[in-house]
Amino acid sequence: MPFNMYSFPKPLTLETTSEALWKTNDSHAPGDNGSVDFGKLMDPRPRQLESHHSLDERSLNDIISSGLSSPRPPRQLETVKSSECLEALLSPSIRTSVSTPREYHAFEPHPMIADAWEALRKSVVYFREKPVGTIAALDPTEDSLNYNQVFVRDFVPSALAFLMNGEPEIVKNFLLKALRLQSIEKRIDCFTLGEGVMPASFKVLHDPVRKTDTMIADFGESAIGRVAPVDSGFWWIILLRAYTKSTGDHTLADMADCQRGMRLILTLCLADGFDTFPTLLCADGCCMVDRRMGIYGYPIEIQSLFFMALRSAKSLMKPEGEGKEFLERIDKRLHALSFHMREYFWLDHVQLNNIYRFKTEEYSHTAVNKFNVIPDSIPDWIFDFLPLKGGFFIGNVSPARMDFRWFAIGNFMAILSSLATSEQASAIMDLMEERWEELVGDMPLKVSYPAMEGHEWRIVTGCDPKNTRWSYHNAGSWPVILWMLTAACIKAGRPQIARRAIEQVETRLSKDQWPEYYDGKLGRYVGKQARKFQTWSIAGYLVAKMMLEDPSHLGMIGLEEVKRMKPQLTRSASWTA
Ligand code: GLC
């Protein structure tokens, strides 16, 4: 093994609890003996300087498409601005294995990078001596609660960091373990959950006496409010594609079990029901925002992840047997979903003005106000917040209800999946620049904006003491979102925006011991109940740095725009199409 990721000889010991509900004792996941030579991913040659153009000056489309069209070659270095510290952007293990050209010695690596790798490696969780994920937080000062588990969504930035560093094994193991957990029968009281549901998290229990490891999973039954994670299955598919893109190893995705896993996830979201919209109907708290926050209905985060998972599955599913029918259903849904989102969730100055002038009680296929939104329900803040230049996908659209709040993850994932057209992606970037203080503040980045307070907070959150105004999910600032911002900025051709946010993060994140989130209008205060050494804050920073260093990494997580999915932007087109 070329890297030192296993330099922590003792497997992490996780505390035993009595809450074990579903167990798997199987250590021999299918495909564990796959014949891929991971060593070939390491490039023993010195990294080369390829050009003297800055990233800002280069054609980003070229950079992105180079990563999108083919598996990643062994690591190569795209040259970035001279003000960027090239060596600093290399992760420690690569630095030791590469003879660095002399010019680089003038630059000192940012000390946070070494800190971050050390902390990330400490967070690795082992199952029968194999790395299978990273623990959510390793805060020695706080009660661990469920932060001692491997969360599917939290592992994504860790996985990307490992893939970008040429260490795919942990990602493969994680994908296979999650798949194994998916296949367990999932019951809550007398009710059986859908076959395709992926766990929110899992925990490894080590029995030092019997020398056995056991894995237990949480599908939402232990979570506060008992909400199942809709995002987990989507992240699993997205990660499977990232792994495949990064390694060029199609054998994992081609395995019958992986193909079946994807079909089970898709069966849950492509099933016919009473829907009149192509968007996915969800319960409150079913994603990263995993407590009641008024995101029930059609939350933007889920719609963007749904779109991305559909597109990822499309690229991974084999067009044979059942796969063929799924591919047809995916195509139809993608078309309808992109039209719906671009048309009804998109808000800019012109669209806000249209909604402001909506008539209500329109009854016919020619209705302009299709969801019967009452203009009086538009909150005052949005009129001041929305600049003339810029726009974004709003939080939620359902009958007579538009949630105008900004949600960062949904918007950045919309850019990465090309749910946003290139014009919309640029408009989101314009908004970031225009509303820097509100959306980025001192410590990037606001998960949502603005905060709910007073009566609204009481009604919507159910008086949640963790989600008070400008804290946690209620417009708190989460460093993990930095990786999504960076990827979205590179895709939209605006890397300088990400660079500015990263510089801000570097002033404090490590000194503050990698908090989970920050509080306050400007995100200036370490969060009230924030864990320290939160793994996805650490991994998110590393991924952001590595992507700026080598923008072709974007190919793992970005999808190109498909022109044919562009809807005709006339407001009544859906009825005449
Ligand atoms: C919090 C977050 C959730 C995350 C978990 C573990 O509950 O809301 O998104 O997965 O912590 O870090």
Side-chain angles (χ1 to χ4, degrees):
M1 185 58 53
F3 297 108
N4 60 357
M5 90 184 254
Y6 304 115
S7 63
F8 300 91
K10 276 196 215 130
L12 213 65
T13 308
L14 298 178
E15 67 184 44
T16 309
T17 72
S18 58
E19 70 192 39
L21 285 177
W22 295 297
K23 301 184 176 191
T24 172
N25 285 313
D26 188 350
S27 66
H28 301 290
D32 274 1
N33 58 351
S35 57
V36 181
D37 175 12
F38 290 122
K40 76 171 186 245
L41 291 162
M42 249 302 283
D43 182 9
R45 290 165 299 157
R47 294 156 65 91
Q48 289 159 3
L49 279 174
E50 282 184 351
S51 92
H52 295 286
H53 297 300
S54 76
L55 170 58
D56 300 355
E57 292 158 358
R58 297 188 56 197
S59 157
L60 281 145
N61 278 342
D62 293 349
I63 294 167
I64 293 161
S65 53
S66 69
L68 286 170
S69 52
S70 55
R72 281 188 58 68
R75 293 168 55 87
Q76 287 174 352
L77 186 66
E78 302 286 344
T79 307
V80 293
K81 257 194 174 136
S82 58
S83 60
E84 284 295 323
C85 167
L86 294 175
E87 202 198 4
L89 298 168
L90 295 175
S91 55
S93 56
I94 291 290
R95 262 184 276 131
T96 55
S97 64
V98 167
S99 63
T100 314
R102 284 195 75 77
E103 311 86 276
Y104 292 174
H105 289 288
F107 302 105
E108 272 306 306
H110 198 288
M112 262 175 72
I113 294 176
D115 274 8
W117 275 107
E118 199 188 326
L120 181 62
R121 290 182 195 288
K122 274 190 194 152
S123 77
V124 171
V125 171
Y126 294 82
F127 182 76
R128 302 190 181 160
E129 289 173 19
K130 282 182 171 185
V132 289
T134 48
I135 199 165
L138 261 181
D139 187 343
T141 64
E142 291 277 339
D143 180 9
S144 66
L145 294 174
N146 60 347
Y147 284 85
N148 60 7
Q149 308 200 8
V150 178
F151 279 76
V152 171
R153 71 177 73 88
D154 292 43
F155 182 64
V156 172
S158 301
L160 295 176
F162 286 121
L163 288 175
M164 288 174 189
N165 202 39
E167 301 176 62
E169 193 198 342
I170 186 172
V171 183
K172 182 176 182 178
N173 293 342
F174 168 88
L175 288 165
L176 289 168
K177 284 294 161 224
L179 190 65
R180 182 53 61 112
L181 294 170
Q182 182 201 36
S183 67
I184 295 167
E185 197 204 4
K186 303 165 272 259
R187 285 175 70 86
I188 297 187
D189 296 336
C190 313
F191 184 68
T192 306
L193 268 71
E195 249 192 299
V197 178
M198 279 275 179
S201 60
F202 62 81
K203 177 155 52 177
V204 177
L205 301 174
H206 299 290
D207 183 335
V209 181
R210 293 164 63 200
K211 294 202 167 55
T212 55
D213 287 352
T214 311
M215 197 175 267
I216 59 167
D218 174 14
F219 293 88
E221 81 287 355
S222 314
I224 296 169
R226 279 200 162 170
V227 63
V230 178
D231 62 340
S232 283
F234 296 153
W235 280 123
W236 184 85
I237 295 177
I238 293 165
L239 202 52
L240 182 60
R241 177 183 170 274
Y243 169 89
T244 308
K245 273 277 166 189
S246 158
T247 60
D249 168 20
H250 289 261
T251 58
L252 182 65
D254 284 353
M255 271 171 40
D257 283 355
C258 280
Q259 293 284 317
R260 181 169 178 272
M262 276 189 279
R263 285 200 303 272
L264 288 176
I265 295 166
L266 296 178
T267 302
L268 290 174
C269 20
L270 296 176
D272 290 335
F274 290 98
D275 305 285
T276 49
F277 311 133
T279 34
L280 203 61
L281 183 62
C282 302
D284 216 341
C286 63
C287 48
M288 183 272 180
V289 174
D290 59 0
R291 297 160 79 104
R292 189 172 146 188
M293 268 301 295
I295 60 157
Y296 63 89
Y298 304 92
I300 180 67
E301 178 179 335
I302 289 297
Q303 311 315 321
S304 293
L305 290 176
F306 180 30
F307 185 84
M308 190 162 206
L310 286 177
R311 289 200 64 195
S312 303
K314 187 176 162 173
S315 72
L316 298 172
M317 278 184 110
K318 295 205 272 186
E320 295 141 22
E322 289 176 77
K324 189 167 177 291
E325 191 217 321
F326 271 91
L327 286 168
E328 282 163 15
R329 287 163 74 189
I330 288 173
D331 265 339
K332 276 193 193 148
R333 192 62 168 258
L334 280 172
H335 179 71
L337 186 59
S338 62
F339 175 84
H340 185 94
M341 297 300 298
R342 292 169 184 179
E343 179 77 353
Y344 304 123
F345 274 64
W346 183 252
L347 191 78
D348 55 17
H349 170 256
V350 173
Q351 182 62 2
L352 181 58
N353 209 152
N354 291 341
I355 300 168
Y356 174 68
R357 287 167 53 79
F358 268 173
K359 294 182 177 47
T360 58
E361 314 297 328
E362 289 180 298
Y363 182 83
S364 102
H365 286 178
T366 56
V368 174
N369 181 3
K370 297 201 165 78
F371 306 98
N372 198 33
V373 173
I374 318 291
D376 270 359
S377 69
I378 306 173
D380 287 344
W381 66 266
I382 190 71
F383 292 105
D384 298 328
F385 174 77
L386 201 63
L388 287 175
K389 192 173 172 218
F392 67 107
F393 291 101
I394 63 171
N396 215 311
V397 176
S398 57
R401 176 173 173 252
M402 289 179 102
D403 179 348
F404 289 91
R405 277 177 295 171
W406 153 267
F407 287 89
I409 298 178
N411 274 279
F412 297 146
M413 292 314 287
I415 294 177
L416 289 177
S417 62
S418 288
L419 173 58
T421 62
S422 50
E423 294 81 10
Q424 287 172 333
S426 296
I428 294 170
M429 290 297 143
D430 291 339
L431 182 79
M432 296 299 300
E433 283 185 324
E434 294 278 331
R435 294 288 174 256
W436 189 263
E437 202 166 89
E438 290 89 340
L439 303 181
V440 183
D442 279 14
M443 280 307 278
L445 283 138
K446 287 272 166 50
V447 65
S448 59
Y449 180 89
M452 279 184 300
E453 27 194 326
H455 183 64
E456 194 187 12
W457 165 79
R458 272 191 288 279
I459 300 297
V460 174
T461 71
C463 301
D464 187 344
K466 203 165 174 185
N467 273 331
T468 49
R469 63 183 178 165
W470 309 111
S471 182
Y472 202 50
H473 302 135
N474 190 4
S477 298
W478 292 68
V480 60
I481 305 173
L482 192 66
W483 81 260
M484 294 187 215
L485 169 80
T486 304
C489 286
I490 295 172
K491 181 142 190 301
R494 309 271 279 271
Q496 66 282 8
I497 296 181
R499 200 169 283 137
R500 187 175 161 197
I502 291 174
E503 274 166 19
Q504 283 179 218
V505 160
E506 285 178 336
T507 61
R508 286 189 54 186
L509 195 60
S510 166
K511 277 189 215 134
D512 290 342
Q513 300 183 307
W514 311 95
E516 180 186 15
Y517 64 95
Y518 286 81
D519 283 359
K521 257 190 181 171
L522 289 171
R524 197 169 277 174
Y525 301 94
V526 173
K528 230 183 334 192
Q529 292 189 41
R531 292 292 181 292
K532 300 282 184 73
F533 299 100
Q534 181 81 20
T535 304
W536 68 1
S537 300
I538 297 162
Y541 167 71
L542 284 173
V543 172
K545 289 293 268 191
M546 284 192 279
M547 271 202 287
L548 264 191
E549 171 214 337
D550 179 355
S552 74
H553 284 311
L554 185 61
M556 275 185 225
I557 199 75
L559 291 152
E560 271 175 310
E561 190 174 355
V562 180
K563 296 287 177 203
R564 150 182 98 69
M565 283 195 309
K566 270 188 174 175
Q568 313 98 311
L569 284 173
T570 49
R571 292 202 60 79
S572 56
S574 61
W575 298 108
T576 50

